[in-house]
Amino acid sequence: MVEKEQKYEVDDTFVLPDLSAVAPASGRVRSLPSVTLVARLLDTVDLRLARAGASLRHRRGDELPWTVKLPTGTPGVRHEVSRPGPKGQPPPELVELVTALHRGAPLAPVTVVRTVRHAHEVCDRAGTVLAEVVDDRVTVLDDAGTTTGGFRELEVELKAGDRELLDRAGAVLREAGARGGSFVPKHVRALGAAAQAEPDLVGPAGLPSDPSAGDVVTEAVRKEVRRLLAHDPLVRLRAPAAGGDTAVHQMRVACRRLRSDLRTFKPLVRRSWARPLRDELRWIAGVLGAARDAEVLRARLRRTAGADPLDPAAVDRLDEALAARQRVAHTAIDEALRSPRYLALVDALVLAARAPRLTGRAAKPAARALPKLVARPWRRLSGPGGVDGLGPSSPDERWHAVRKQGKQARYAVNAVSPAVDTAARKLSRALAGVQDVLGEHQDAAVAAETWLELAAERPDDHELAVTAGRLAERERESVRRMRARFPAAWHRATRRRRTRWLP
């Protein structure tokens, strides 16, 4: 579940205003009886969860008393996951969801928050709850039950309403004297300054006006480490990523981009540091790969089969076979993410984002040092072992090799483009077009082989064989179309105005 809310600070003299202006026409505001909520927060000794904007709590009286809340990158919006379980034993599933934050450190109670809540539901004409406005009086207790502090706050949480309603409620509360409209979780306020310190994971902060090559390396590493670890809990939950993508895909892309960046920046990073990190990233990307392949093939099956009538039962049997592969792949992911090896990788990634191990050459100005590094993957892509000599009759394996070279070149250009000539951004966009063509080519080629392979596993299923054959024909036609489109896409990428910055 995704939780969207805003919080406002008020003092004891604040009087909650009439909330009827928040409700839509013909709607109403329904006041609920007050309740007392007692939440016990767990964290590491150094408050790793709280500093990252996350929490793991047990709240007495809830049907599902254990809850993890995870930041999404958008203030006031969090992933919320609740599970049953006894008071003293957090469910292992929830502890695993915050692995990227606690990194194996023990979790123990750090504070108790008792809240007397007065809630008001903003409803539409049909009685649907659009938002909930709550007036919370919070008492902070230590583990022995002694009061250590307290505060009062208002909270507006969206239910079935939209962002406009959230803003309207905020305007009404601020006009009455409420302060803020930002988002600081209760337990963070309760824990004080230590909980508001910087998180262990250092995120990208933007480049200075005249960056060094090392500044660019650091920014690239931080960007991909953040992406990888942000999708860790979503992969465990089988939840989608932002923008309709899958979490498995995003986490795998982060692994591959970070590996590629470490390769591109090889002269700028210490070999003894980068090589083990690249090896472990290759391992986890490989584990994610089987599940991602199944995702792509299942989506492609329905799209290809929808082009014209096919036996729907045969298509369903193909999908069932792919779903079985996907379940096996997800089991392998779960095992990997629970392993000590992955825990060590997470720790290494957090350290890498904090301080990449750079060589003396990283101190050179980015605009002077980086184009030479990008020129290497570009030459591999454009040279005799790459696009040069690639033709319509080249085998699928040759096209796939060029695709991998193109991806390496594009990742390299993306990593350096913020610090070099604007032509780099144009080249990056053009290479994205090249990758679209090569990616579709590879997906079609793999799909054609897969449909025939699945049919061969059931030699007595004649309807399946016919359907798989027709699907394979369509995929090979897509392969031919992509080969025909490739020269134009490549020509756009190689125009002088896009490559002039490369030595």
Side-chain angles (χ1 to χ4, degrees):
M1 184 178 84
V2 176
E3 176 187 63
K4 299 180 180 180
E5 61 187 22
Q6 292 286 359
K7 293 178 180 287
Y8 300 85
E9 295 181 26
V10 294
D11 56 32
D12 287 337
T13 64
F14 178 83
V15 177
L16 192 70
D18 181 5
L19 297 173
S20 58
V22 179
S26 303
R28 65 190 182 94
V29 176
R30 182 168 58 211
S31 296
L32 303 180
S34 65
V35 296
T36 299
L37 308 170
V38 179
R40 184 180 300 271
L41 279 299
L42 276 65
D43 208 329
T44 62
V45 171
D46 55 355
L47 305 180
R48 295 179 184 182
L49 272 60
R51 288 187 287 114
S55 65
L56 171 59
R57 77 172 186 216
H58 179 278
R59 193 158 73 182
R60 189 177 68 199
D62 285 359
E63 182 179 356
L64 299 174
W66 285 100
T67 298
V68 156
K69 294 188 178 183
L70 298 164
T72 64
T74 301
V77 181
R78 294 184 292 177
H79 295 289
E80 181 176 317
V81 184
S82 297
R83 295 290 185 267
K87 178 180 177 181
Q89 300 177 20
E93 177 188 355
L94 297 190
V95 175
E96 289 171 2
L97 286 182
V98 289
T99 294
L101 302 179
H102 64 66
R103 308 196 309 283
L107 297 172
V110 290
T111 190
V112 177
V113 177
R114 184 175 65 209
T115 303
V116 178
R117 171 165 290 181
H118 299 268
H120 309 269
E121 294 178 334
V122 180
C123 306
D124 63 12
R125 181 168 52 185
T128 301
V129 179
L130 304 177
E132 187 177 58
V133 180
V134 300
D135 184 352
D136 286 343
R137 296 177 183 268
V138 180
T139 303
V140 184
L141 310 170
D142 62 21
D143 209 38
T146 304
T147 299
T148 60
F151 54 88
R152 183 185 177 193
E153 71 175 19
L154 307 179
E155 182 179 293
V156 184
E157 181 178 351
L158 274 184
K159 301 296 186 179
D162 56 18
R163 181 72 198 193
E164 182 181 347
L165 186 143
L166 190 66
D167 293 340
R168 189 161 67 244
V172 170
L173 296 175
R174 281 193 294 269
E175 186 175 353
R179 303 179 300 277
S182 59
F183 180 82
V184 179
K186 283 184 180 61
H187 72 289
V188 173
R189 291 187 66 182
L191 289 166
Q196 299 182 48
E198 290 297 319
D200 285 353
L201 179 60
V202 181
L207 293 173
S209 57
D210 189 18
S212 68
D215 291 332
V216 176
V217 174
T218 300
E219 188 76 357
V221 169
R222 289 175 176 174
K223 178 182 176 182
E224 297 309 328
V225 169
R226 181 177 66 176
R227 189 212 299 238
L228 192 160
L229 297 183
H231 287 92
D232 168 302
L234 301 183
V235 168
R236 296 172 191 266
L237 288 169
R238 312 283 192 263
D245 201 353
T246 70
V248 167
H249 182 221
Q250 282 295 313
M251 190 172 179
R252 187 185 184 210
V253 167
C255 291
R256 297 171 94 174
R257 287 199 173 192
L258 185 51
R259 286 192 72 241
S260 177
D261 289 345
L262 293 174
R263 181 180 178 184
T264 297
F265 298 133
K266 187 175 179 180
L268 308 178
V269 296
R270 294 190 181 277
R271 183 178 180 181
S272 59
W273 170 79
R275 174 177 281 183
L277 194 55
R278 290 189 74 242
D279 289 343
E280 294 305 280
L281 288 167
R282 180 174 58 232
W283 161 67
I284 197 64
V287 174
L288 295 165
R292 175 56 183 166
D293 291 345
E295 287 177 353
V296 171
L297 285 166
R298 293 188 73 187
R300 190 172 190 92
L301 172 63
R302 296 299 177 180
R303 187 170 66 249
T304 306
D308 61 84
L310 289 172
D311 182 350
V315 173
D316 286 344
R317 291 197 292 278
L318 288 171
D319 185 62
E320 288 168 6
L322 292 173
R325 290 186 181 185
Q326 191 171 21
R327 287 191 293 272
V328 171
H330 278 147
T331 299
I333 290 175
D334 291 340
E335 292 174 355
L337 296 188
R338 292 175 182 142
S339 69
R341 182 177 182 180
Y342 178 71
L343 198 62
L345 172 59
V346 171
D347 219 23
L349 289 171
V350 171
L351 292 173
R354 185 180 303 165
R357 301 290 298 277
L358 305 176
T359 66
R361 294 176 63 178
K364 294 182 179 179
R368 191 175 70 195
L370 297 181
K372 297 176 183 178
L373 302 183
V374 179
R376 295 174 182 175
W378 176 255
R379 284 194 295 268
R380 283 194 294 268
L381 172 63
S382 57
V387 174
D388 188 12
L390 186 69
S393 61
S394 298
D396 292 343
E397 294 78 11
R398 179 85 163 79
W399 282 84
H400 182 45
V402 171
R403 175 178 178 249
K404 291 192 291 185
Q405 291 169 339
K407 190 172 292 188
Q408 168 71 19
R410 184 189 171 201
Y411 288 167
V413 173
N414 284 347
V416 307
S417 61
V420 299
D421 196 297
T422 56
R425 286 188 285 274
K426 296 178 182 178
L427 178 57
S428 177
R429 289 192 293 269
L431 284 174
V434 171
Q435 282 299 298
D436 287 344
V437 173
L438 293 174
E440 171 64 18
H441 179 285
Q442 174 67 6
D443 289 348
V446 169
E449 291 182 6
T450 301
W451 311 146
L452 297 177
E453 174 188 310
L454 292 175
E457 293 174 358
R458 301 185 183 185
D460 297 330
D461 191 335
H462 301 299
E463 291 80 7
L464 187 67
V466 172
T467 298
R470 293 177 65 181
L471 287 168
E473 288 175 2
R474 293 176 193 163
E475 302 294 4
R476 293 311 304 180
E477 177 56 33
S478 182
V479 166
R480 288 188 287 272
R481 286 198 308 271
M482 293 307 104
R483 294 187 179 198
R485 290 182 188 177
F486 178 76
W490 180 244
H491 176 70
R492 286 191 292 273
T494 54
R495 288 178 178 170
R496 181 60 184 165
R497 66 173 181 268
R498 294 187 174 98
T499 62
R500 66 183 181 224
W501 59 282
L502 292 169

